[in-house]
Amino acid sequence: MPTPNDWTVIAIQGATTLTLSLNNANDGTDTSFRCRARPPPRRSAWSPARCLRERRRVHRGLPQVVRNHNSRLCVDSAESMLLSAVNCWLKCMTLDPYNQTDNPECKSRPDSGLSAITELDPGYITGPLSSVWKEWVKWCIEFGIEANSIIAAPYDWRLSPSKLEERDLYFHKLKLTFETALKLRGGPSLVLAHSLGNNVFRYFLEWLKLEIPPKQYIKWLDEHIHAYFAVGSPFLGATQTVKATLSGETFGLPVSEGTARSMFSSFGLEAYPSVSEVAHNNFSSIECGLPTQLSFSAREISDGTFFKAIEDYDPESKRLLHLLEKSYHGDPVLNPLTPWDRPPIKNIFCIYGIDSKTEVGYYFAPSGKPYPDNWIITDVIYEIEGSLFSRSGNLVEGNPGPTSGDETVPYHSLSWCKNWLGPKVNITRAPQSEHDGSDIQVELNVEHQDEADIVPNMTRSPRVKYITYYEDSESIPGRKTAVWELDKANHRNIVRSPVLMREVWLQMWHDTRPDATLKFVTKAKRGPLRDEDCYWDYGKARCAWPEYCEYRL
């Protein structure tokens, strides 16, 4: 059986920063990645346009522009350029709206290695909330996984999947990454994908079918991938993508919504809502306040009906429809805007947050202004605790799920992977924090109907955050599937959740035990795993969890 030293962990995540920063090596220091106490290297952008022509220091604590020579612009942080030369930054970010090629005056590429996914460039805008996979990397190393066995596979999240392969040979390189890891470590890899990284990984699996002989496909997967952890996956898309397309989403950057819309509309449509015949059509419904009010379901957005209907009201709709047909509906490998089937991987763990207020629909009306400011949002529909409410607080009719999503992706989209569970499921609900097993609820061999949600008959304490595990009781031989729902886990922050990292670690450690008789690690008890998990119990004047922790002077 493999040990942590034998594992290779491959993280698939969009590069957190694409533009306008570079390894600051002018002082002769080593800027390679370090797990502890060093900022990550920067990213690169090439530009014949000199957006900042003079060396100067940006006010309010932002980093200094270090040099500007020939066609390369070098800065300490993307923020310096973002605040000082927004137009140049937009040129580097925006792609050609029809073929997704770079602006002639500037091109941007993802950084390589772990630095591309560990954190955003820290500074005035991103502040302390810039960490992405940084804590997760530290956990891996602390628990025995060698640093050179943690491999990042960052991708340019602006591109459609077919363009990723056409421009960057991304999927060829990813296949080589798996094969190299197998030769170096002697065993299969663990895949952790976050958010849209799951859609990219899905496309890779379909692309792989066309690259190797059909009879070798399953064998290749079994040899190269031990487990797949799908974290916060928008299996049926995310409604906020539609808002970004019609009215703009700034994500806190110092640009107008119209400017953000123009930029976003040049990107791929990977997170557009998609549904099947059995999915709940209303989870991403949109009401458009046109002269005659029109209503569109998620299916009508992903199949192009929506864009055809608003052609007379929005000059951008024809271009978006062209991109939809060319890069998605016409993709010879896969239309990414279709519902998922379970990938043929041995072990799959689907993990997401629930019970947070999440946008699931919008009311739009013409603003009377020219593009890109020609739409305004008049109301927003949220899912909250199993009900739908408008921004004004009114109850909205519809078909909500038993709970809500993770603030970004609706529940119905996140929970689509429950369809992958077997005909009988074991359900366990336990506190997320360390516990002695006294507050655990279990339901065994729960019947699971195809295409139906599973809702446990369990209680909740309002003061406790739970994690609910859904695990195959009966499954395909050699395959196992689990779904973990984490109360109040935010879409972005779930990656650095200690609860997530603890559970992933325990499950993988369980898989290495030759004497393990259960498919999944027991949930009976959770004690501290690290020094920082230990604390002093003032009521008992001793260390809490004395069987795990001890007091040292």
Side-chain angles (χ1 to χ4, degrees), residues 259-428:
T259 299
R261 180 193 180 189
S262 298
M263 178 178 65
F264 183 86
S265 295
S266 72
F267 302 162
L269 309 177
E270 186 71 7
Y272 259 47
S274 60
V275 293
S276 70
E277 293 299 323
V278 299
H280 301 271
N281 293 352
N282 74 325
F283 90 90
S284 54
S285 63
I286 298 176
E287 300 283 351
C288 296
L290 303 175
T292 299
Q293 191 175 72
L294 303 176
S295 177
F296 299 95
S297 68
R299 184 184 299 107
E300 291 170 323
I301 296 169
S302 62
D303 68 15
T305 301
F306 168 68
F307 297 110
K308 293 176 183 178
I310 65 170
E311 280 183 343
D312 293 338
Y313 306 95
D314 195 314
E316 185 72 0
S317 62
K318 291 183 179 179
R319 191 202 62 77
L320 291 170
L321 187 61
H322 167 80
L323 181 61
L324 191 67
E325 296 287 349
K326 178 182 177 182
S327 298
Y328 295 89
H329 298 168
D331 192 309
V333 175
L334 170 73
N335 177 5
L337 304 181
T338 55
W340 288 46
D341 293 325
R342 185 195 187 280
I345 294 172
K346 287 185 289 188
N347 305 301
I348 294 181
F349 298 83
C350 179
I351 309 163
Y352 51 88
I354 61 168
D355 202 28
S356 295
K357 182 179 178 181
T358 305
E359 296 178 2
V360 296
Y362 307 98
Y363 288 85
F364 288 96
S367 67
K369 298 179 181 179
Y371 174 85
D373 301 305
N374 51 319
W375 295 103
I376 57 172
I377 295 178
T378 60
D379 208 348
V380 180
I381 302 173
Y382 299 95
E383 58 180 7
I384 309 171
E385 298 178 350
S387 299
L388 300 177
F389 288 91
S390 68
R391 184 167 55 188
S392 54
N394 297 321
L395 186 66
V396 177
E397 292 185 3
N399 192 3
T403 184
S404 51
D406 64 1
E407 294 188 19
T408 299
V409 183
Y411 171 79
H412 285 310
S413 182
L414 293 164
S415 64
W416 178 258
C417 55
K418 284 185 177 179
N419 292 311
W420 303 347
L421 293 165
K424 291 187 177 181
V425 178
N426 295 333
I427 307 175
T428 305

Side-chain angles (χ1 to χ4, degrees), residues 117-132:
I117 68 169
T118 49
E119 62 182 18
L120 296 170
D121 284 329
Y124 181 64
I125 296 176
T126 56
L129 300 178
S130 59
S131 174
V132 184

Side-chain angles (χ1 to χ4, degrees), residues 71-84:
S71 63
R72 175 162 288 199
L73 175 66
C74 305
V75 298
D76 275 6
S77 167
E79 295 176 280
S80 297
M81 173 160 283
L82 182 58
L83 293 182
S84 302

Side-chain angles (χ1 to χ4, degrees), residues 31 47 78 121 134 143 152 212 284 308 319 338 425 461 522 532:
T31 56
S47 173
D121 284 329
K134 186 177 181 179
F143 283 103
I212 60 179
S284 54
K308 293 176 183 178
R319 191 202 62 77
T338 55
V425 178
S461 169
T522 179
E532 49 261 55

Side-chain angles (χ1 to χ4, degrees), residues 430-433 439 460-466 487:
Q432 292 183 18
S433 60
D439 189 19
R460 291 178 179 272
S461 169
R463 297 183 178 182
V464 179
K465 292 181 181 179
Y466 293 96
D487 291 356

